[in-house]
Amino acid sequence: MVKAVIFDIDGTLVDTVDMHAEAWQRAFREFGKEIEFQTIRDQVGKGGDQLMPVFLSKEELGDFGKQLEKRRGEIYQQDYMPKAKPFPQVRELFERIKSDGKQIALASSAPEKELEFYKKLLNISDLLEEETSADDAERSKPEPDIFQAAVDKLQGIEPADCIVIGDTPYDATAAGKAGIITVGVLCGGFPEQWLRDAGCIEIYRDPADLLARYGDSAIASSGVSKPQVV
């Protein structure tokens, strides 16, 4: 029986993946690295500690990695975050889950400032049991730290009691390492096959589609299978 649902935020609840990719691209450019937009976009969903090594050498990471990541955050929060839009029916989905007697947590690689902004934008603060941000994890997705931290905060909950909802293969990989199954959504723009290959057991278009088919979903089911730990 599913007792708790843990949600990723960017690309899952809010339409921000392209904006994050643009902010990273601009930050890389300021440090002399011209990187194709789609190449960066394919990595969004990872935190900076996992994303930057894809594009920077160890020497570059040591020389300016921290400054680049800080600059990326400044660009995003100043120029993009105010433009973020929620996907439809997020609050209604959360209300449905709560009415089903399940706990809800947020688990994001975003910093605390962004997390607070999104909670207000989505109008969901009163429906949450717990939340985790970049401050709660040593390593970001696709490592399991964020989801493990969320489970640890939830009262009386084990990984096998949970489902993660996410839009990237990095969500599914991280959840699988933590022993949690994942339901994928396509609204973040990642290919369905990528999500399935990473371990998603079900795929929905977006939160509204999940709400519309909630009764048939793994969240409502009492017999979901345990994921294979990667």
Side-chain angles (χ1 to χ4, degrees):
M1 180 69 70
V2 176
K3 298 179 181 178
V5 185
I6 303 173
F7 283 88
D8 170 62
I9 302 176
D10 286 291
T12 300
L13 304 178
V14 290
D15 189 4
T16 54
V17 175
D18 284 353
M19 295 192 294
H20 277 295
E22 288 180 14
W24 274 114
Q25 186 180 44
R26 287 173 55 185
F28 278 121
R29 185 177 295 130
E30 288 186 14
F31 285 82
K33 304 290 289 187
E34 191 63 47
I35 303 172
E36 183 180 342
F37 171 81
Q38 188 61 47
T39 304
I40 298 174
R41 195 192 193 284
D42 288 345
Q43 300 295 320
V44 171
K46 299 178 178 180
D49 62 310
Q50 303 291 327
L51 184 149
M52 289 190 298
V54 176
F55 304 108
L56 301 180
S57 68
K58 288 184 179 181
E59 290 75 17
E60 289 170 329
L61 286 168
D63 289 344
F64 57 81
K66 290 184 179 179
Q67 298 96 309
L68 191 155
E69 186 171 15
K70 180 181 179 183
R71 181 60 182 140
R72 193 283 325 169
E74 292 170 348
I75 292 170
Y76 179 76
Q77 291 181 11
Q78 177 178 332
D79 295 344
Y80 294 99
M81 190 170 74
K83 303 174 185 177
K85 296 185 182 302
F87 290 118
Q89 294 192 285
V90 170
R91 181 174 176 87
E92 290 85 350
L93 173 60
F94 279 33
E95 288 174 336
R96 180 69 181 86
I97 293 169
K98 293 291 290 184
S99 71
D100 211 13
K102 305 179 193 305
Q103 299 184 54
I104 300 176
L106 300 180
S108 173
S109 297
E112 185 67 27
K113 180 178 179 179
E114 292 177 25
L115 184 61
E116 290 301 315
F117 177 86
Y118 294 143
K119 284 162 54 181
K120 292 178 182 178
L121 179 69
L122 293 162
N123 187 26
I124 55 172
S125 294
D126 59 314
L127 301 173
L128 302 174
E129 267 71 39
E130 292 293 346
E131 62 195 52
T132 58
S133 68
D135 298 333
D136 296 297
E138 182 176 344
R139 303 167 300 172
S140 68
K141 305 167 190 173
E143 298 305 319
D145 302 27
I146 291 282
F147 294 130
Q148 288 173 341
V151 173
D152 290 344
K153 287 186 175 186
L154 290 165
Q155 294 295 318
I157 297 297
E158 300 293 333
D161 301 324
C162 302
I163 283 183
V164 162
I165 312 296
D167 69 300
T168 78
Y170 316 117
D171 293 315
T173 299
K177 290 178 179 178
I180 308 171
I181 61 174
T182 303
V183 167
V185 288
L186 298 172
C187 45
F190 285 82
E192 179 174 349
Q193 195 59 52
W194 288 20
L195 300 182
R196 294 196 182 278
D197 289 346
C200 289
I201 63 167
E202 294 177 350
I203 305 289
Y204 296 88
R205 289 191 308 275
D206 52 23
D209 184 36
L210 177 53
L211 175 62
R213 296 193 280 158
Y214 180 87
D216 296 323
S217 73
I219 302 175
S221 171
S222 60
V224 295
S225 58
K226 185 176 180 180
Q228 179 180 356
V229 178
V230 179

